[in-house]
Amino acid sequence: MGKENLTLLTDFYELTMMQGYFKNNTNERVIFDVFYRTNPSDSGYAICAGLEQVIEYIKNLHFGEEDIAYLRSLKIFDEDFLSYLTDFHFTGDIYAIPEGTVIFPMEPLVKVVAPIIEAQLIETAVLNIINHQSLIATKASRVCYAAQGDGVMEFGLRRAQGPDAGTLGARAAVIGGCIGTSNVLCAKYFNVPALGTHAHSWIMSFEDELTAFRIYAELYPSNATLLVDTYDTLRSGVPNAIKVFRELKEAGKMPKTYGIRLDSGDLAYLSKRARKMLDEAGFTDASIVASSDLDEYLIDSLKTQGAAIDSWGVGTNLITSKDCPAFGGVYKLAAIEKNGKFIPKIKLSENPWKITNPGDKTIYRVYEKESGKVKADLIALTVEKYSEDETLKLFDPIATWKKTNLKGGSYTLRELLVPIFVKGECVYTSPSVMDIRAYCQKELDTLWDETRRLVNPHNVYVDLSIDLYQMKHQLLNSINNGNGHI
Amino acid sequence: MGKENLTLLTDFYELTMMQGYFKNNTNERVIFDVFYRTNPSDSGYAICAGLEQVIEYIKNLHFGEEDIAYLRSLKIFDEDFLSYLTDFHFTGDIYAIPEGTVIFPMEPLVKVVAPIIEAQLIETAVLNIINHQSLIATKASRVCYAAQGDGVMEFGLRRAQGPDAGTLGARAAVIGGCIGTSNVLCAKYFNVPALGTHAHSWIMSFEDELTAFRIYAELYPSNATLLVDTYDTLRSGVPNAIKVFRELKEAGKMPKTYGIRLDSGDLAYLSKRARKMLDEAGFTDASIVASSDLDEYLIDSLKTQGAAIDSWGVGTNLITSKDCPAFGGVYKLAAIEKNGKFIPKIKLSENPWKITNPGDKTIYRVYEKESGKVKADLIALTVEKYSEDETLKLFDPIATWKKTNLKGGSYTLRELLVPIFVKGECVYTSPSVMDIRAYCQKELDTLWDETRRLVNPHNVYVDLSIDLYQMKHQLLNSINNGNGHI
């Protein structure tokens, strides 16, 4: 986490290609774009995350002696190339969309402008980091949306796909809206709240549940949230919890925060019954925390059913993004510099929407001025200039007859990509995770409810500028020789 | 990976419970079992993996100065407890099933016998590591089963859930049967084959495909596997590859390994057409490698369709176990020592099969002597003794009328749990990953085909000994007071 050397965290073919370019004296500057094609979990948007770890990775890039010795042992790399690697460091430029920003398909999230040997090496790790954290941040934003403002706690470490998935995943979950995590390592590294109280084993290690509750509440007078489902939630757990709350009240030791946690059974039924029991005993401010295989759909359903739950602990389904455990970010060549000029490149596919966007691009987010909501995104060439005073012509890049003209003054533009590295030097300081979280909440507010909803959301248009569209189609026509569909 | 201090990789409630036990002077020895309830991906078995990383984690357990300072800053831990943590190390015993072993639901994969404060701390990390790697090893074994002996390469790093998920996941994938990985860091750490050739960007960085192929084949004379789908597989990629192979042949420079890689399109159709083109050109020994969103079902279907594919690169669906991205391993209290004797403990549930198995247990694998195949597993108390000469009575622990008697001499027994730590000292040396892989292949051979098949597999019985069954039911009856179903 920050200090480890991840230089060999790359696909083997990156290294064979690097040696190929090296031996062929091919090291032109190129542009690679990181983008994705489909929002995860049928979402109407995604949240980008992971940039801080990409920055650390790039800063720490170097081949140590052990790495070189290992590569030499494979008997596929020549000494001149290994000697080049010994002095390797990243000298290029990187632009990226800041973490916590709402993003849409086909937009360059990260743009790498660097000699091809360097740009090729970093492909795999950059994708790994951005794909993972963007996936979990997106999922978290959906879970928090379903919770309608209740606190959502990230509880998934034990089911995460390894230590990093637990720790960096929890970081991303907080960016996406969780109020904190059970993962202490994450809480320490990223200065986010560490959350949790006790497990069934605490209860089971005492002679009886009441004793376990009593001792816990005595030890932690500031937060007595008692887990009530070890033996029988309504006949044992809740009555014992109420007994302990009464004792604390009588002793004048009422905790600031207190309540119960339900971790199994029918959460709608149990929470309503438990709420009634707590209220009748006078503990109307006792909170009810729920956990147990929750996701955005189940929370949404529990809300609809009127479940009396104030706070949510979400584990497996969030930390693995269970219904969609991979974010399909790719890293595609967009241009190669020849004689000081970037020549656009395109990757074909039989599916029109899978064809890449060529050239040196940037993204403008178009906001409706009146509401501050996102109207569309516009991918344009960096050489193009836009003015908010002029009419902005937008059109669907596949169904080109679908057009919108935005009058000057009715919209605002914001360029999403910001410089992160310039000539190998980092020029960007990552905000704290809690600051990224706050920024992300504002970002989500720029979306229409129709885009945020969990099912069948309204998709935001991501349009191409006229110049980019024309460049793309000229390239397509020049490649396709007319002997059939490509 | 091995050197990092993961001591704080734990749920916050482990620490609050630890302080609770500490302040309450509760530190009896306890037994915790790691087990899981359902095979992932509807499999008939699972493969356990991750033990080497659990061992490293336990060996490295210590709270550094920074960790203590962080915990102090939370203002919830007292100085006497923090002082205890400063000197903390693991003093208990750990038993585990060796990595690469075939496992079934409800069996203790790891048994921790330790003072409760220590046993509680390690819960989260042990689960995290075992859950992750067992998940991926299981998935890999299924993908390799579908490939019917063809080589399967792990290619998923860019879509893995963070760096560890990519690297430890690739380790697990090799254990489960992959012949190697594209992940260079994994290959270096674990001494497994690093695999791969080139990407679309290699092709696109040259003026044309033919030049890109020629230069690649010249640079890597020992393995010329050419990616043929950048522009048009059958009209450009395969003909250009054949042209290059002809040139190499004419120059007397035919590579030992050569062929083409298909990474998009209809793999059944394209592979058959490409095979015909290669064969007609005389390159009958050219291999055809396929990648592109593969999983066990798609490979199985391609095999059924007669696809001419010799080798498979599997990414996203393997490294994330996409259809089932979490292995549901849990860590449950089974016994607490009082006056030198372990008192069994049980965790109730409304679902009979979710009720835990109490006491100090071990597992015997029962093999049919004649075939060497697995007949059943038997979870028994460690105090019980079994002899292969006597009749073994097995019965279904839920549907108890289902019984089998195995005659003495017709079966063999193998105890699965082996000692890993004794009184805090590691007594086990992990085999190399490639040795674990070879062991796992033998393990898979002990399963009947009916258990290995991908869909609707035959489930292997995991039975309880009579003594364990009776102990469990006595405990259940003593807890349930008869006021209704628990």
Side-chain angles (χ1 to χ4, degrees):
Chain A
M1 219 84 60
K3 281 153 202 157
E4 214 179 346
N5 181 4
L6 297 178
T7 306
L8 291 189
L9 189 79
T10 191
D11 286 316
F12 186 64
Y13 76 6
E14 313 286 12
L15 289 165
T16 56
M17 285 191 281
M18 285 165 72
Q19 172 167 270
Y21 299 130
F22 179 81
K23 292 182 84 73
N24 198 47
N25 294 314
T26 310
N27 203 12
E28 288 96 355
R29 286 211 312 162
V30 294
I31 299 176
F32 274 97
D33 294 329
V34 172
F35 66 92
Y36 71 106
R37 294 194 177 99
T38 318
N39 290 314
S41 301
D42 300 321
S43 176
Y45 64 91
I47 302 291
C48 65
L51 182 58
E52 184 179 357
Q53 283 64 49
V54 167
I55 292 171
E56 284 169 0
Y57 158 75
I58 298 283
K59 281 184 178 173
N60 290 339
L61 266 183
H62 68 282
F63 291 84
E65 274 180 41
E66 263 189 32
D67 301 329
I68 298 290
Y70 169 71
L71 294 177
R72 182 177 289 121
S73 75
L74 299 177
K75 300 190 194 312
I76 196 165
F77 299 108
D78 294 348
E79 285 304 320
D80 52 352
F81 177 63
L82 293 174
S83 164
Y84 163 80
L85 290 186
T86 306
D87 297 327
F88 182 94
H89 60 280
F90 183 76
T91 67
D93 305 334
I94 296 181
Y95 302 81
I97 299 180
E99 292 191 88
T101 305
V102 162
I103 52 175
F104 305 107
M106 304 310 289
E107 301 176 350
L109 314 178
V110 179
K111 180 169 84 170
V112 175
V113 186
I116 194 165
I117 300 184
E118 298 173 26
Q120 198 73 67
L121 174 68
I122 68 175
E123 170 177 17
T124 318
V126 168
L127 287 178
N128 173 282
I129 295 165
I130 297 285
N131 275 335
H132 171 227
Q133 291 197 47
S134 299
L135 179 75
I136 306 303
T138 305
K139 189 70 171 176
S141 78
R142 289 170 60 79
V143 172
C144 293
Y145 176 80
Q148 300 177 18
D150 294 346
V152 175
M153 301 172 282
E154 190 290 302
F155 275 1
L157 177 55
R158 62 191 57 196
R159 301 287 173 86
Q161 297 194 347
D164 282 344
T167 304
L168 297 173
R171 175 187 188 274
V174 172
I175 287 175
C178 289
I179 59 170
T181 174
S182 66
N183 180 340
V184 184
L185 196 61
C186 174
K188 178 193 160 202
Y189 270 132
F190 300 112
N191 200 22
V192 301
L195 302 171
T197 58
H198 60 253
H200 297 114
S201 56
W202 172 267
I203 310 295
M204 291 162 70
S205 75
F206 290 89
E207 279 308 308
D208 58 73
E209 192 178 49
L210 184 60
T211 309
F213 284 176
R214 258 190 204 128
I215 292 176
Y216 191 85
E218 197 172 309
L219 287 168
Y220 294 104
S222 65
N223 178 4
T225 300
L226 304 172
L227 179 62
V228 292
D229 72 331
T230 305
Y231 301 113
D232 187 308
T233 301
L234 297 178
R235 290 191 295 158
S236 168
V238 178
N240 280 330
I242 288 172
K243 198 172 285 182
V244 171
F245 298 151
R246 279 212 178 103
E247 291 170 4
L248 290 169
K249 198 174 180 183
E250 281 162 19
K253 290 181 179 172
M254 209 57 213
K256 257 189 285 186
T257 309
Y258 74 104
I260 60 168
R261 177 159 78 98
L262 303 170
D263 189 41
S264 62
D266 190 300
L267 297 176
Y269 172 75
L270 293 174
S271 67
K272 284 188 257 190
R273 290 289 301 265
R275 181 77 270 160
K276 195 157 176 278
M277 291 161 79
L278 288 163
D279 287 352
E280 285 173 0
F283 299 108
T284 51
D285 55 346
S287 67
I288 300 182
V289 183
S291 47
S292 179
D293 274 336
L294 296 171
D295 65 10
E296 65 268 47
Y297 303 107
L298 191 47
I299 293 175
D300 188 60
S301 162
L302 285 164
K303 283 282 183 189
T304 306
Q305 294 170 68
I309 295 166
D310 316 302
S311 176
W312 310 81
V314 185
T316 312
N317 296 322
L318 167 53
I319 204 69
T320 65
S321 187
K322 195 172 181 187
D323 63 339
C324 178
F327 192 88
V330 295
Y331 186 88
K332 296 290 178 190
L333 185 66
I336 301 186
E337 198 177 46
K338 301 274 178 196
N339 307 318
K341 210 184 141 204
F342 276 113
I343 310 298
K345 288 276 174 176
I346 198 163
K347 162 82 180 69
L348 301 188
S349 168
E350 297 202 16
N351 300 332
W353 59 276
K354 280 190 97 175
I355 295 171
T356 62
N357 289 316
D360 186 3
K361 303 177 294 295
T362 192
I363 315 152
Y364 294 98
R365 178 144 298 164
V366 185
Y367 298 94
E368 190 180 74
K369 198 166 192 174
E370 198 185 333
S371 64
K373 300 285 184 190
V374 174
K375 188 81 191 164
D377 275 7
L378 178 68
I379 308 179
L381 298 171
T382 50
V383 292
E384 297 180 64
K385 298 285 166 236
Y386 288 90
S387 161
E388 293 172 353
D389 299 330
E390 291 169 20
T391 297
L392 185 66
K393 294 180 180 184
L394 298 174
F395 64 96
D396 186 312
I398 307 275
T400 52
W401 65 90
K402 293 189 183 177
K403 293 176 188 167
T404 307
N405 289 331
L406 301 179
K407 279 190 191 152
S410 75
Y411 66 92
T412 60
L413 292 179
R414 173 188 164 208
E415 201 169 346
L416 295 185
L417 288 168
V418 300
I420 309 297
F421 283 85
V422 174
K423 294 183 179 166
E425 292 299 316
C426 182
V427 296
Y428 182 81
T429 305
S430 285
S432 74
V433 169
M434 293 308 275
D435 283 350
I436 299 173
R437 179 182 185 274
Y439 163 74
C440 183
Q441 297 298 305
K442 284 186 196 157
E443 276 289 296
L444 289 163
D445 283 343
T446 65
L447 294 178
W448 301 91
D449 279 345
E450 289 76 2
T451 296
R452 289 215 66 189
R453 70 182 174 220
L454 299 176
V455 177
N456 196 22
H458 173 77
N459 287 319
V460 171
Y461 271 108
V462 178
D463 295 326
L464 306 186
S465 71
I466 295 169
D467 289 0
L468 174 56
Y469 180 85
Q470 286 175 345
M471 172 198 279
K472 184 172 180 172
H473 282 260
Q474 277 163 12
L475 272 172
L476 288 173
N477 284 317
S478 72
I479 291 170
N480 184 9
N481 60 12
N483 288 335
H485 295 298
I486 54 161
Chain B
M1 218 84 59
K3 282 153 201 156
E4 212 180 347
N5 181 4
L6 296 177
T7 307
L8 290 189
L9 189 79
T10 191
D11 285 317
F12 187 64
Y13 75 5
E14 314 285 12
L15 289 165
T16 56
M17 285 191 281
M18 286 165 72
Q19 171 165 273
Y21 299 129
F22 179 82
K23 293 183 83 76
N24 197 47
N25 294 314
T26 310
N27 203 13
E28 290 95 354
R29 286 210 310 160
V30 293
I31 298 175
F32 274 97
D33 295 328
V34 173
F35 66 92
Y36 71 105
R37 295 194 178 100
T38 317
N39 290 313
S41 302
D42 300 322
S43 176
Y45 64 91
I47 302 291
C48 65
L51 182 58
E52 183 179 357
Q53 283 63 49
V54 167
I55 292 171
E56 284 168 0
Y57 158 76
I58 299 283
K59 282 183 177 173
N60 291 340
L61 266 183
H62 69 281
F63 290 85
E65 272 180 42
E66 262 190 32
D67 300 329
I68 299 289
Y70 169 71
L71 294 176
R72 183 177 287 122
S73 75
L74 299 177
K75 298 190 194 314
I76 196 166
F77 299 108
D78 293 348
E79 285 304 319
D80 52 352
F81 177 63
L82 293 175
S83 164
Y84 163 81
L85 290 187
T86 305
D87 298 326
F88 182 95
H89 60 280
F90 184 76
T91 67
D93 305 334
I94 295 181
Y95 302 81
I97 300 180
E99 291 190 88
T101 306
V102 161
I103 51 174
F104 305 107
M106 304 310 288
E107 302 176 350
L109 314 180
V110 179
K111 181 169 85 171
V112 175
V113 186
I116 194 164
I117 299 183
E118 299 172 27
Q120 198 74 69
L121 174 67
I122 68 174
E123 170 177 16
T124 318
V126 168
L127 287 177
N128 172 281
I129 295 166
I130 297 286
N131 275 335
H132 170 227
Q133 290 197 46
S134 300
L135 178 75
I136 306 303
T138 305
K139 189 71 173 175
S141 78
R142 289 170 59 78
V143 172
C144 293
Y145 177 80
Q148 300 178 18
D150 295 345
V152 175
M153 301 173 281
E154 190 290 301
F155 276 0
L157 176 55
R158 64 191 56 196
R159 302 287 174 85
Q161 296 194 349
D164 282 343
T167 304
L168 298 172
R171 175 185 188 274
V174 172
I175 287 175
C178 289
I179 59 170
T181 174
S182 66
N183 180 341
V184 184
L185 196 61
C186 174
K188 179 193 158 199
Y189 270 133
F190 300 114
N191 200 22
V192 301
L195 303 170
T197 58
H198 60 253
H200 298 114
S201 57
W202 172 266
I203 310 296
M204 290 162 71
S205 75
F206 290 89
E207 279 307 307
D208 57 73
E209 194 178 46
L210 184 60
T211 310
F213 283 177
R214 260 191 202 127
I215 291 176
Y216 192 84
E218 196 174 310
L219 287 168
Y220 294 105
S222 65
N223 179 4
T225 300
L226 304 173
L227 178 62
V228 292
D229 72 331
T230 305
Y231 300 112
D232 187 308
T233 301
L234 298 178
R235 289 192 293 157
S236 167
V238 178
N240 280 331
I242 288 173
K243 197 173 287 183
V244 171
F245 298 151
R246 281 210 177 104
E247 289 169 6
L248 291 169
K249 199 175 179 182
E250 281 162 18
K253 290 182 179 172
M254 210 57 214
K256 256 189 286 187
T257 308
Y258 74 104
I260 60 166
R261 178 158 77 97
L262 303 169
D263 189 42
S264 62
D266 191 301
L267 297 176
Y269 172 75
L270 292 174
S271 67
K272 286 187 257 189
R273 288 288 301 265
R275 181 76 272 160
K276 195 156 176 277
M277 292 162 78
L278 288 163
D279 288 351
E280 285 173 0
F283 299 109
T284 51
D285 56 345
S287 68
I288 300 182
V289 183
S291 48
S292 179
D293 273 337
L294 296 171
D295 65 11
E296 65 269 48
Y297 303 106
L298 192 47
I299 292 174
D300 188 60
S301 163
L302 286 164
K303 282 282 182 190
T304 305
Q305 294 171 68
I309 295 166
D310 316 302
S311 175
W312 309 81
V314 185
T316 312
N317 296 322
L318 167 52
I319 204 68
T320 65
S321 186
K322 195 172 181 189
D323 63 338
C324 178
F327 192 87
V330 295
Y331 187 89
K332 295 291 178 189
L333 187 66
I336 300 186
E337 198 177 48
K338 300 276 178 194
N339 308 317
K341 209 185 142 204
F342 276 114
I343 311 297
K345 288 278 175 174
I346 199 163
K347 163 80 181 74
L348 301 188
S349 169
E350 296 201 16
N351 300 332
W353 59 276
K354 280 189 95 174
I355 294 172
T356 62
N357 290 316
D360 187 2
K361 302 177 294 295
T362 191
I363 314 153
Y364 295 98
R365 178 144 298 166
V366 185
Y367 297 94
E368 190 181 71
K369 198 167 192 172
E370 198 186 333
S371 64
K373 300 285 185 191
V374 174
K375 188 81 191 163
D377 275 7
L378 179 69
I379 308 179
L381 298 171
T382 50
V383 293
E384 297 181 64
K385 298 284 166 236
Y386 288 89
S387 160
E388 293 172 352
D389 300 329
E390 291 169 21
T391 297
L392 185 66
K393 296 180 179 183
L394 298 174
F395 64 96
D396 185 312
I398 306 276
T400 52
W401 65 91
K402 294 189 184 176
K403 292 176 190 167
T404 307
N405 289 332
L406 300 180
K407 280 190 190 153
S410 75
Y411 66 92
T412 59
L413 293 178
R414 172 187 166 209
E415 202 169 345
L416 295 185
L417 288 168
V418 300
I420 309 297
F421 283 85
V422 175
K423 292 184 180 164
E425 292 300 315
C426 183
V427 296
Y428 182 83
T429 306
S430 285
S432 73
V433 169
M434 292 309 274
D435 284 349
I436 300 173
R437 179 181 184 276
Y439 163 74
C440 183
Q441 297 298 306
K442 286 186 194 156
E443 275 289 296
L444 289 163
D445 283 343
T446 66
L447 295 178
W448 301 91
D449 279 345
E450 289 77 1
T451 296
R452 289 214 67 190
R453 69 180 174 223
L454 298 176
V455 177
N456 196 22
H458 174 77
N459 286 320
V460 171
Y461 270 109
V462 178
D463 295 328
L464 306 186
S465 72
I466 296 169
D467 289 2
L468 175 55
Y469 180 85
Q470 286 175 345
M471 173 198 277
K472 184 171 181 173
H473 282 259
Q474 278 164 11
L475 272 173
L476 288 173
N477 283 317
S478 73
I479 291 170
N480 184 9
N481 60 13
N483 285 335
H485 296 298
I486 55 162

